[in-house]
Amino acid sequence: GAGVSQSPRYKVAKRGQDVALRCDPISGHVSLFWYQQALGQGPEFLTYFQNEAQLDKSGLPSDRFFAERPEGSVSTLKIQRTQQEDSAVYLCASSLAGNAKNIQYFGAGTRLSVL
Amino acid sequence: GESVGLHLPTLSVQEGDNSIINCAYSNSASDYFIWYKQESGKGPQFIIDIRSNMDKRQGQRVTVLLNKTVKHLSLQIAATQPGDSAVYFCAENPASIPTFGRGTSLIVHP
Protein backbone atom coordinates (compact mmCIF):
# COMPACT_ATOMS: atom_id res chain seq x y z
CA GLY A 1 0.00 0.00 0.00
CA ALA A 2 1.00 3.64 -0.27
CA GLY A 3 3.22 4.96 2.47
CA VAL A 4 3.74 8.48 3.72
CA SER A 5 4.45 10.79 0.82
CA GLN A 6 6.33 14.07 1.10
CA SER A 7 6.84 16.74 -1.51
CA PRO A 8 8.96 18.22 -2.78
CA ARG A 9 11.86 15.83 -2.12
CA TYR A 10 14.34 18.69 -2.47
CA LYS A 11 13.85 22.39 -2.06
CA VAL A 12 16.39 25.14 -2.55
CA ALA A 13 15.38 28.51 -1.20
CA LYS A 14 17.05 31.88 -1.05
CA ARG A 15 17.38 33.36 2.41
CA GLY A 16 14.23 35.28 3.22
CA GLN A 17 12.00 33.22 0.94
CA ASP A 18 8.89 31.44 2.23
CA VAL A 19 8.57 27.68 1.67
CA ALA A 20 5.76 25.15 2.04
CA LEU A 21 6.39 21.45 2.58
CA ARG A 22 3.62 18.92 2.05
CA CYS A 23 2.92 15.61 3.78
CA ASP A 24 0.38 13.02 2.66
CA PRO A 25 0.00 10.52 5.52
CA ILE A 26 -1.18 6.96 5.21
CA SER A 27 -4.93 6.96 4.65
CA GLY A 28 -6.83 6.63 7.90
CA HIS A 29 -3.92 7.50 10.16
CA VAL A 30 -5.04 9.70 13.00
CA SER A 31 -1.71 11.07 14.18
CA LEU A 32 0.77 13.10 12.15
CA PHE A 33 4.18 14.31 13.26
CA TRP A 34 6.74 16.69 11.80
CA TYR A 35 10.43 16.38 12.61
CA GLN A 36 13.55 18.29 11.65
CA GLN A 37 16.71 16.29 11.05
CA ALA A 38 20.06 18.02 10.81
CA LEU A 39 22.96 16.24 9.15
CA GLY A 40 24.36 13.52 11.38
CA GLN A 41 21.66 13.94 13.99
CA GLY A 42 18.50 12.19 14.99
CA PRO A 43 15.08 13.62 14.15
CA GLU A 44 13.98 16.47 16.39
CA PHE A 45 10.28 16.80 17.13
CA LEU A 46 8.54 19.88 15.75
CA THR A 47 4.78 19.40 16.05
CA TYR A 48 2.03 16.80 16.36
CA PHE A 49 -1.55 16.58 15.10
CA GLN A 50 -4.36 14.29 16.06
CA ASN A 51 -6.79 14.54 13.17
CA GLU A 52 -7.02 18.29 12.48
CA ALA A 53 -6.10 19.36 15.99
CA GLN A 54 -2.55 20.51 16.62
CA LEU A 55 -1.94 19.05 20.07
CA ASP A 56 1.69 19.94 20.52
CA LYS A 57 3.81 22.54 18.76
CA SER A 58 6.45 22.88 21.41
CA GLY A 59 9.24 21.85 19.03
CA LEU A 60 8.71 24.60 16.47
CA PRO A 61 11.93 26.65 16.69
CA SER A 62 10.39 30.05 16.05
CA ASP A 63 7.22 31.82 15.01
CA ARG A 64 8.47 31.60 11.43
CA PHE A 65 7.40 27.95 11.49
CA PHE A 66 3.74 27.12 11.05
CA ALA A 67 1.98 23.80 10.45
CA GLU A 68 -1.58 22.95 9.59
CA ARG A 69 -3.74 19.93 8.86
CA PRO A 70 -7.11 21.51 8.12
CA GLU A 71 -9.05 18.40 7.11
CA GLY A 72 -7.23 15.88 9.27
CA SER A 73 -5.35 14.34 6.39
CA VAL A 74 -2.74 16.26 4.35
CA SER A 75 -0.48 18.52 6.34
CA THR A 76 1.66 21.48 5.33
CA LEU A 77 4.68 22.82 7.17
CA LYS A 78 5.36 26.43 6.25
CA ILE A 79 8.55 28.29 6.99
CA GLN A 80 8.53 32.03 6.51
CA ARG A 81 11.58 34.19 5.82
CA THR A 82 13.87 31.17 5.68
CA GLN A 83 17.30 31.38 7.28
CA GLN A 84 20.40 29.30 6.64
CA GLU A 85 19.96 27.51 9.95
CA ASP A 86 16.64 26.15 8.63
CA SER A 87 18.58 23.93 6.22
CA ALA A 88 17.76 20.34 7.18
CA VAL A 89 15.67 17.35 6.21
CA TYR A 90 12.06 17.73 7.29
CA LEU A 91 10.42 14.40 8.04
CA CYS A 92 6.75 13.63 8.36
CA ALA A 93 5.40 10.54 10.11
CA SER A 94 1.91 9.19 10.67
CA SER A 95 0.51 6.58 13.00
CA LEU A 96 -2.79 4.80 13.10
CA ALA A 97 -3.98 5.62 16.60
CA GLY A 98 -4.24 8.80 18.57
CA ASN A 99 -1.04 8.61 20.56
CA ALA A 100 2.65 8.34 19.87
CA LYS A 101 2.98 4.89 21.39
CA ASN A 102 2.11 3.37 18.11
CA ILE A 103 4.36 2.58 15.21
CA GLN A 104 5.19 5.70 13.24
CA TYR A 105 5.61 5.43 9.49
CA PHE A 106 7.96 7.99 8.06
CA GLY A 107 8.12 9.63 4.68
CA ALA A 108 11.41 10.03 2.85
CA GLY A 109 11.59 13.68 3.89
CA THR A 110 12.10 17.01 2.19
CA ARG A 111 15.67 18.23 2.07
CA LEU A 112 15.64 22.01 2.42
CA SER A 113 18.71 23.99 1.50
CA VAL A 114 18.66 27.71 2.26
CA LEU A 115 21.30 29.70 0.39
CA GLY B 1 18.25 17.83 30.89
CA GLU B 2 17.37 14.23 30.27
CA SER B 3 18.21 12.82 26.89
CA VAL B 4 18.67 9.70 24.86
CA GLY B 5 22.22 9.00 23.78
CA LEU B 6 24.19 6.37 21.93
CA HIS B 7 27.57 5.04 23.01
CA LEU B 8 29.18 4.59 19.59
CA PRO B 9 28.60 6.76 16.54
CA THR B 10 29.99 4.16 14.09
CA LEU B 11 30.09 0.37 14.19
CA SER B 12 31.90 -1.67 11.55
CA VAL B 13 31.29 -5.41 11.27
CA GLN B 14 31.99 -8.21 8.85
CA GLU B 15 29.14 -9.77 6.93
CA GLY B 16 27.78 -12.72 8.86
CA ASP B 17 28.87 -11.42 12.25
CA ASN B 18 26.43 -10.39 14.93
CA SER B 19 26.03 -6.66 15.61
CA ILE B 20 25.20 -5.00 18.89
CA ILE B 21 24.12 -1.37 18.99
CA ASN B 22 23.79 0.27 22.38
CA CYS B 23 21.68 3.11 23.67
CA ALA B 24 21.58 4.82 27.06
CA TYR B 25 18.56 6.70 28.28
CA SER B 26 18.19 8.87 31.34
CA ASN B 27 14.46 9.53 31.65
CA SER B 28 13.25 7.10 34.28
CA ALA B 29 9.66 7.79 33.24
CA SER B 30 10.22 6.26 29.81
CA ASP B 31 8.09 3.16 29.42
CA TYR B 32 8.26 2.51 25.71
CA PHE B 33 11.25 2.27 23.40
CA ILE B 34 11.61 1.88 19.67
CA TRP B 35 14.50 1.09 17.36
CA TYR B 36 14.50 2.62 13.89
CA LYS B 37 16.70 2.00 10.87
CA GLN B 38 17.43 4.85 8.48
CA GLU B 39 19.01 4.21 5.12
CA SER B 40 20.57 7.01 3.14
CA GLY B 41 17.95 9.26 1.57
CA LYS B 42 15.06 7.58 3.33
CA GLY B 43 13.01 8.18 6.44
CA PRO B 44 13.44 6.08 9.57
CA GLN B 45 11.86 2.64 9.42
CA PHE B 46 10.47 0.86 12.45
CA ILE B 47 12.43 -2.24 13.43
CA ILE B 48 11.23 -3.35 16.83
CA ASP B 49 9.78 -1.93 20.03
CA ILE B 50 9.73 -2.90 23.67
CA ARG B 51 7.72 -1.82 26.68
CA SER B 52 9.26 -1.34 30.07
CA ASN B 53 7.49 -4.38 31.52
CA MET B 54 9.70 -6.58 29.32
CA ASP B 55 13.44 -7.30 29.37
CA LYS B 56 13.75 -8.83 25.95
CA ARG B 57 11.89 -8.97 22.71
CA GLN B 58 12.79 -10.85 19.56
CA GLY B 59 11.99 -10.23 15.96
CA GLN B 60 13.31 -11.59 12.74
CA ARG B 61 17.12 -11.57 13.15
CA VAL B 62 16.81 -8.75 15.70
CA THR B 63 16.59 -8.78 19.46
CA VAL B 64 16.11 -5.81 21.76
CA LEU B 65 17.28 -5.99 25.35
CA LEU B 66 16.18 -3.55 28.03
CA ASN B 67 18.02 -3.12 31.30
CA LYS B 68 15.98 -0.72 33.40
CA THR B 69 18.43 -0.88 36.30
CA VAL B 70 21.18 0.85 34.33
CA LYS B 71 18.82 2.49 31.82
CA HIS B 72 20.36 0.74 28.86
CA LEU B 73 18.88 -0.52 25.63
CA SER B 74 20.56 -2.64 22.99
CA LEU B 75 19.73 -3.88 19.53
CA GLN B 76 21.27 -7.14 18.44
CA ILE B 77 21.31 -8.07 14.77
CA ALA B 78 22.14 -11.67 13.98
CA ALA B 79 24.12 -12.65 10.87
CA THR B 80 24.53 -9.06 9.73
CA GLN B 81 24.06 -8.52 6.01
CA PRO B 82 25.17 -5.69 3.71
CA GLY B 83 21.53 -4.57 3.56
CA ASP B 84 21.71 -3.87 7.27
CA SER B 85 24.10 -0.97 6.65
CA ALA B 86 22.27 2.12 7.87
CA VAL B 87 21.98 4.50 10.80
CA TYR B 88 20.14 3.04 13.75
CA PHE B 89 18.25 5.21 16.22
CA CYS B 90 16.70 4.38 19.51
CA ALA B 91 13.76 6.48 20.60
CA GLU B 92 12.03 6.73 23.94
CA ASN B 93 8.44 7.71 24.59
CA PRO B 94 8.11 8.90 28.17
CA ALA B 95 4.80 10.55 27.42
CA SER B 96 3.45 11.08 23.97
CA ILE B 97 6.31 12.45 21.86
CA PRO B 98 9.21 10.20 20.90
CA THR B 99 12.71 11.47 21.61
CA PHE B 100 15.44 10.23 19.28
CA GLY B 101 19.10 9.70 20.05
CA ARG B 102 21.84 10.81 17.70
CA GLY B 103 22.16 7.46 15.95
CA THR B 104 24.80 4.81 15.28
CA SER B 105 26.05 4.20 11.78
CA LEU B 106 26.38 0.47 11.07
CA ILE B 107 28.80 -0.42 8.28
CA VAL B 108 28.80 -4.00 7.06
CA HIS B 109 31.88 -5.16 5.18
CA PRO B 110 31.51 -8.04 2.70
Side-chain angles (χ1 to χ4, degrees):
Chain A
V4 177
S5 178
Q6 291 188 247
S7 61
R9 284 298 314 277
Y10 304 93
K11 177 68 179 177
V12 179
K14 292 182 179 179
R15 189 163 58 91
Q17 188 177 355
D18 296 349
V19 297
L21 313 180
R22 177 187 170 104
C23 174
D24 281 87
I26 294 173
S27 179
H29 276 200
V30 170
S31 297
L32 185 145
F33 302 81
W34 282 100
Y35 296 87
Q36 181 189 62
Q37 186 174 27
L39 188 65
Q41 302 294 322
E44 294 276 353
F45 169 78
L46 293 177
T47 186
Y48 159 53
F49 290 85
Q50 192 175 117
N51 296 307
E52 70 279 2
Q54 189 174 21
L55 298 188
D56 190 328
K57 55 181 180 179
S58 62
L60 296 176
S62 77
D63 59 7
R64 296 186 296 104
F65 287 70
F66 172 77
E68 60 183 4
R69 194 186 185 197
E71 297 178 359
S73 179
V74 171
S75 177
T76 303
L77 176 66
K78 298 179 179 178
I79 309 173
Q80 297 177 321
R81 304 181 302 283
T82 52
Q83 303 295 316
Q84 284 188 323
E85 61 263 27
D86 299 335
S87 295
V89 174
Y90 290 85
L91 294 166
C92 176
S94 69
S95 64
L96 182 59
N99 66 74
K101 291 183 181 177
N102 284 275
I103 297 172
Q104 293 190 18
Y105 296 87
F106 282 81
T110 294
R111 181 177 296 277
L112 174 65
S113 298
V114 182
L115 306 179
Chain B
E2 297 186 70
S3 64
V4 175
L6 293 172
H7 292 305
L8 296 173
T10 303
L11 176 65
S12 292
V13 300
Q14 290 296 127
E15 182 179 358
D17 287 353
N18 296 333
S19 302
I20 300 176
I21 300 171
N22 296 304
C23 178
Y25 68 95
S26 55
N27 190 336
S28 56
S30 295
D31 60 354
Y32 180 59
F33 305 88
I34 309 168
W35 280 100
Y36 287 93
K37 171 187 180 183
Q38 187 173 25
E39 296 173 276
S40 180
K42 297 183 180 180
Q45 177 184 11
F46 172 89
I47 301 173
I48 192 168
D49 60 357
I50 188 168
R51 297 192 182 274
S52 60
N53 60 354
M54 303 172 68
D55 297 323
K56 179 179 179 179
R57 190 169 189 208
Q58 287 186 294
Q60 187 176 12
R61 282 202 307 119
V62 295
T63 300
V64 56
L65 299 178
L66 176 62
N67 186 329
K68 294 180 288 293
T69 302
V70 296
K71 297 177 185 169
H72 184 268
L73 197 66
S74 69
L75 176 71
Q76 300 179 0
I77 304 174
T80 313
Q81 302 168 0
D84 294 328
S85 293
V87 177
Y88 290 81
F89 295 97
C90 67
E92 59 177 323
N93 285 38
S96 60
I97 304 301
T99 301
F100 287 79
R102 183 183 172 189
T104 293
S105 176
L106 176 64
I107 300 171
V108 182
H109 300 282

